[in-house]
Amino acid sequence: MVSEQCNKLFNEVVKDYHIYNEIERPPVNPYAAGDLSNLLYQKCWIDAAQWHMEDEVRHPDIDPVAALRWKRLIDKSNQDRTDIVERIDDYFAEQFKHVVPGPSARYNTESPAWAIDRLSILALKIYHMQEETQRIDIDQDQLAACNRKLTVLLQQRVDLSTAIDELLEDIASGERRMHVYRQMKMYNDPLLNPVLYGNKQS
């Protein structure tokens, strides 16, 4: 099952990232280029780094210059995340290119890779919520609340994993359609963001 492969890899990435816990440390991807595992590893590493960028930018005493730097890094990370998700969808599109959708085949509200994107984020939520359940500096009410949240997150992973596998099965059988839509983010594009192309022309 693809979800099993994803969950195993995402847990591996989260563990690898936290060996050093350095936001700008480049990953050492152990999987061959072009392989799905390689793409999944890249994808989750981007998420892990961005998770910690989001923490840093919310520091109550952050210097404005540092905050702007983190914002720029987050913007780049968001673009990298979108790019890798689309590459994962390209992988699935190639896998299913010979499937002829049935006459009643339906579209899904999100592509396989964007569902996998949510699974990657869940791996990080679960890891960090587990950390919260192990704190000794919080009261029992907060500890109980964190344990309840962890239970919900674990169930979400089960449900989402099942949904991803069912979606891929439906695409393979022609019951659902596989189509890759590009996000076409405009704010990072110097040709499409008026602030950027305005400055370029001035």
Side-chain angles (χ1 to χ4, degrees), residues 6 26 35 42 61 84 97 111 139 149 165 170 193 202:
C6 291
D35 187 75
Q42 289 183 57
D61 300 319
I84 197 72
K97 67 180 180 181
S111 68
D139 61 34
K149 291 175 181 179
D165 290 334
D170 286 349
N193 181 332
S202 61

Side-chain angles (χ1 to χ4, degrees), residues 75-92:
D75 282 348
K76 181 181 183 305
S77 181
N78 273 323
Q79 187 64 58
D80 291 342
R81 174 189 173 202
T82 297
D83 292 345
I84 197 72
V85 168
E86 291 180 356
R87 287 176 62 193
I88 294 170
D89 265 337
D90 286 337
Y91 174 91
F92 287 120

Side-chain angles (χ1 to χ4, degrees), residues 86-139:
E86 291 180 356
R87 287 176 62 193
I88 294 170
D89 265 337
D90 286 337
Y91 174 91
F92 287 120
E94 179 66 20
Q95 297 296 303
F96 298 124
K97 67 180 180 181
H98 298 302
V99 175
V100 179
S104 60
R106 296 167 294 171
Y107 288 102
N108 206 51
T109 57
E110 64 182 354
S111 68
W114 279 110
I116 288 170
D117 171 77
R118 292 165 55 205
L119 203 57
S120 173
I121 302 300
L122 263 177
L124 286 156
K125 288 182 178 180
I126 289 168
Y127 177 90
H128 288 285
M129 193 60 71
Q130 283 176 330
E131 282 192 327
E132 293 299 308
T133 66
Q134 296 164 4
R135 288 174 59 184
I136 59 173
D137 62 330
I138 57 177
D139 61 34

